[in-house]
Amino acid sequence: MKKFFAVLLAVLMLPVFALAEEAQPVTVKVNDTLSLEVVVPDGYGLDHAWYGDVFYGQMNPEEEGKLLMVLSLGYSEEYADRSINDLSDEELDSLIAVSMSDFANATYTLSETAEGTKLIIVDENSEHDEYAEVFTVYQGYFIGLLLEPAGDVQVSQEELDMAIQFLSDMQFVHTEA
């Protein structure tokens, strides 16, 4: 009978342990009325700093050989209070051109977050210095997520999917001043 209760207790506790392992969002204060909540992927730690008006969050892998990710976020007067889905075709083409300007041999694709926000994915396509960056604009903020693999390997589809999930999970939280 004691074994039965021990097994029953263990089964009932499983959901509690599963909830305890779920990643909790990290909150970063952007200004007096806006915070950013990000869910750091499993196996990563987050270091962040402000350089002027631009936020940089570096997600460092806990395991060697994994992808390094750097989030950047800064307000843009050019896109004041608009999001990428609000842009005209000409404005989107201009944003794509700007996003590709720092790359040597870039190609791009369009994707979107789970909520339908457009994403521009720019891939360097280099044999020796591979990296990719995912860009978007949300509520006037220009957002970039740099993906830099360890070594001379290409950014994988799985890594791109992780980046898209990260951006899908990111939340802007508005508060009263």
Side-chain angles (χ1 to χ4, degrees), residues 91-103 108 120 122:
E91 289 172 313
L92 182 60
D93 289 342
S94 176
L95 181 58
I96 291 168
V98 166
S99 300
M100 294 177 66
S101 64
D102 289 334
F103 290 73
Y108 79 92
I120 302 165
V122 181

Side-chain angles (χ1 to χ4, degrees), residues 1-48:
M1 191 64 140
K2 287 182 183 180
K3 286 183 184 179
F4 172 75
F5 285 116
V7 170
L8 180 61
L9 181 60
V11 169
L12 292 174
M13 293 299 288
L14 281 176
V16 173
F17 292 121
L19 287 175
E21 290 183 21
E22 188 174 309
Q24 296 298 314
V26 174
T27 302
V28 176
K29 184 177 178 180
V30 176
N31 58 42
D32 290 340
T33 61
L34 179 64
S35 294
L36 181 67
E37 286 186 357
V38 296
V39 178
V40 179
D42 288 339
Y44 283 83
L46 176 67
D47 294 324
H48 56 86

Side-chain angles (χ1 to χ4, degrees), residues 111-160:
S111 187
E112 60 184 41
T113 66
E115 290 77 29
T117 302
K118 289 179 189 171
L119 300 172
I120 302 165
I121 301 172
V122 181
D123 191 348
E124 175 51 41
N125 299 306
S126 172
E127 292 179 21
H128 304 289
D129 191 23
E130 168 62 11
Y131 57 95
E133 194 156 4
V134 183
F135 296 98
T136 194
V137 175
Y138 187 72
Q139 297 179 358
Y141 287 88
F142 190 80
I143 302 165
L145 183 60
L146 175 68
L147 310 173
E148 190 173 326
D152 292 336
V153 297
Q154 297 291 309
V155 175
S156 71
Q157 186 59 52
E158 181 180 283
E159 291 167 330
L160 283 172

